[in-house]
């Protein structure tokens, strides 16, 4: 049951006007910070204008007319504070969660709507570093959240695989590289060659021309150029695939920038037809002065296309192909201007779907207080972080759970869970200074902490099962009074708020809301667990506590799934 809806109906029945529709009342209902004020509160100043009465008088009118048997209401300082009957809470939440089975907190609000999500979008011939982790995991989590809400989602990896830098790489490779070296050292060998190219180009500008020449050859489809280019791509993708595999991340499409090489001309033509293109210092741009932005660059002086040109073509392609409800770009806020420009240009072109493009930006990742930079080696590779995390988890498991089966699998879940949780725990717009100790922290509010609460529920449930208390049996005969205590009520109320929270997280494109909520549920369940013996006392009361445990397990597993963290049953 949606408690807010239930209470809003009661309030609506008491208020002497139709100017306060149920939906409005529902949207005003809050959860007080201090639970002694009740489980829900209605700030009555919201209705002061409608009723032309002071808030306290409105609150009093509602309190006086209160006729809901499942709750009590009191008027306090202009608020209507409502406390639900704990048994009522228990009966409803347990029935809802167990009834929902695997679909807890899901909905069909997205039926028939498609959401495109552009995330991770790695660059060819670069190694995956911690800066890419946020886009990868925020995007992955948003995909799961929208899937859960019934949307059709399309995960797109907009690979950075086009541009003059690839010509430079080929030129560097041809000059100083060798196949053996690249095969031995992988992408790092290419990165090194690229750095050398830049160093030498400072004294030898002819190198730049040579790089451009090679890129032209790629564009023209020259066999040798294409062969080397495809090989670089393959090397990078093999590297990246190992990371995605560990993170459990996948994509529906790997349509990178090169995919749009033949789709840009129509966009350029359309811009020209619509008189949006003008020449500036030899280049072709769309003027955005009225929008107080620098011009959006479309074609370089030599006619070469640019990053924005490819994004224009990509947006158009996605609109045509997927007819999206929303098209998201999970990209760091450094690219704020880029996306504002691209979206604005599409509006100027008269694309009605331009308003459905959303830049889901996130904070910058630094390391030791300085920006990451592959060029001067100041970076942390994700491969190393994940390996460290798994090794640390393995050491802890060896020490604390020597009898655990398949320790490697558990170490993978826990180690990677810790890293993923750490990037999804703070609001996405916050800058993150990567710290080994916090990414690898397993204590306090961390991934492993939540995973542990889940494993605890699982182990209790299997103990109960051994004693004949299967969830199914418990559901037939249980005493809800056993859950009429503050600790159980706290768990149940948090669970009851979860479905609404998931919808909010989707609306705000904010997976961290799910992370925080699932952490709260884990914490509340732990508190319950330490205060109450689940498997003691009369059978109906045990059954009730088993059902609470099952509900917590389902909620935690759902939350972890939505943020892309494994939920091991044993740890
Ligand atoms: N490859 C780009 C980068 O690493 C991100 C691409 C984001 N997506 C897009 N459609 N522009 O900066």
């Amino acid at each position: 049951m949606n408690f807010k809806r239930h209470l809003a109906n009661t309030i609506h029945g008491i208020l002497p006007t139709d100017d306060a529709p149920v939906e409005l009342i529902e949207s005003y209902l809050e959860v007080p910070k201090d639970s002694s004020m009740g489980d829900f509160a209605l700030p009555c100043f919201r209705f002061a204008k409608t009723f032309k009465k002071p808030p306290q008088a409105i609150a009093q009118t509602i309190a006086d007319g209160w006729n809901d048997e499942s709750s009590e209401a009191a008027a306090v300082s202009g608020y209507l504070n409502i406390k639900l009957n704990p048994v009522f809470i228990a009966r409803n939440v347990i029935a809802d969660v167990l009834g929902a089975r695997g679909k807890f907190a899901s909905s069909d609000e997205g039926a028939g709507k498609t959401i495109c999500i552009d995330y991770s979008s790695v660059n060819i011939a670069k190694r995956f570093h911690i800066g890419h982790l946020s886009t990868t995991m925020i995007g992955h989590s948003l995909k799961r959240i929208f899937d859960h809400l019934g949307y059709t989602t399309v995960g797109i990896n907009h690979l950075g695989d086009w541009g003059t830098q690839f010509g430079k790489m080929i030129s560097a490779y041809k000059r100083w590289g060798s196949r053996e070296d690249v095969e031995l050292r992988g992408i790092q060998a290419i990165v090194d060659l690229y750095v050398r190219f830049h160093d030498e180009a400072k004294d030898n500008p002819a190198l730049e021309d040579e790089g451009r020449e090679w890129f032209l050859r790629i564009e023209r489809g020259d066999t040798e150029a294409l062969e080397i280019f495809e090989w670089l791509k393959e090397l990078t993708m093999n590297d990246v695939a190992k990371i995605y595999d560990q993170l459990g991340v996948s994509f529906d499409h790997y349509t990178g920038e090169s995919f749009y090489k033949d789709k840009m001309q129509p966009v350029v033509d359309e811009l020209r037809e619509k008189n949006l293109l003008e020449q500036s210092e030899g280049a072709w741009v769309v003027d955005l002065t009225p929008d107080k932005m620098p011009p959006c660059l479309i074609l370089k002086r030599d006619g070469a296309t640019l990053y924005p040109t490819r994004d224009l073509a990509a947006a158009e392609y996605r609109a045509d192909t997927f007819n999206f409800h929303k098209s998201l770009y999970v990209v760091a806020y450094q690219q704020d201007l880029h996306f504002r420009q691209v979206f604005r240009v599409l509006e100027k072109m008269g694309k009605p779907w331009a308003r459905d493009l959303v830049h889901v930006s996130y904070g910058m990742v630094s390391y030791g207080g300085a920006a990451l930079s592959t060029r001067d080696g100041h970076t942390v590779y994700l491969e190393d972080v994940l390996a460290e995390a798994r090794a640390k988890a393995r050491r802890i498991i060896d020490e604390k759970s020597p009898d655990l089966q398949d320790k490697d699998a558990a170490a993978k879940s826990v180690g990677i869970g810790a890293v993923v949780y750490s990037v999804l725990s703070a609001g996405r717009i916050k800058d993150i200074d990567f710290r080994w100790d916090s990414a690898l922290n397993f204590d306090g509010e961390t991934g492993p902490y939540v995973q542990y609460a889940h494993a605890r529920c699982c182990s209790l449930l299997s103990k109960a099962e051994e004693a004949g208390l299967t969830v199914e049996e418990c559901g037939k005969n249980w005493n809800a009074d056993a859950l009429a205590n503050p600790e159980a009520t706290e768990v149940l109320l948090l669970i009851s708020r979860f479905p609404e929270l998931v919808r909010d997280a989707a609306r705000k494109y904010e997976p961290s809301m799910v992370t925080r909520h699932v952490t709260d549920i884990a914490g509340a369940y732990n508190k319950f667990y330490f205060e109450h013996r689940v498997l003691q006392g009369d059978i109906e009361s045990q059954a009730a506590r088993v059902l609470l445990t099952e509900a917590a397990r389902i909620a935690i597993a759902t939350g972890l799934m939505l943020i892309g963290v494994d939920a091991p049953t044993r740890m």
Side-chain angles (χ1 to χ4, degrees), residues 118 121-123 158 160 257 307 311 318 329 331 335 338-339:
D118 176 324
S121 300
V122 286
N123 297 323
H158 186 76
E257 295 185 39
Y307 183 51
D311 259 325
R318 290 172 197 173
Y329 298 81
V331 186
Q335 296 193 26
H338 164 75
F339 285 108

Side-chain angles (χ1 to χ4, degrees), residues 492-520:
L492 292 162
L493 279 175
L494 283 168
I495 294 176
S496 79
R497 288 176 189 136
F498 198 44
E500 184 187 340
L501 179 118
V502 174
R503 288 196 298 273
D504 265 1
R507 210 166 299 132
K508 295 179 180 151
Y509 310 111
E510 191 56 275
S512 68
M513 290 171 67
V514 176
T515 313
R516 257 178 280 138
H517 199 80
V518 74
T519 310
D520 288 346

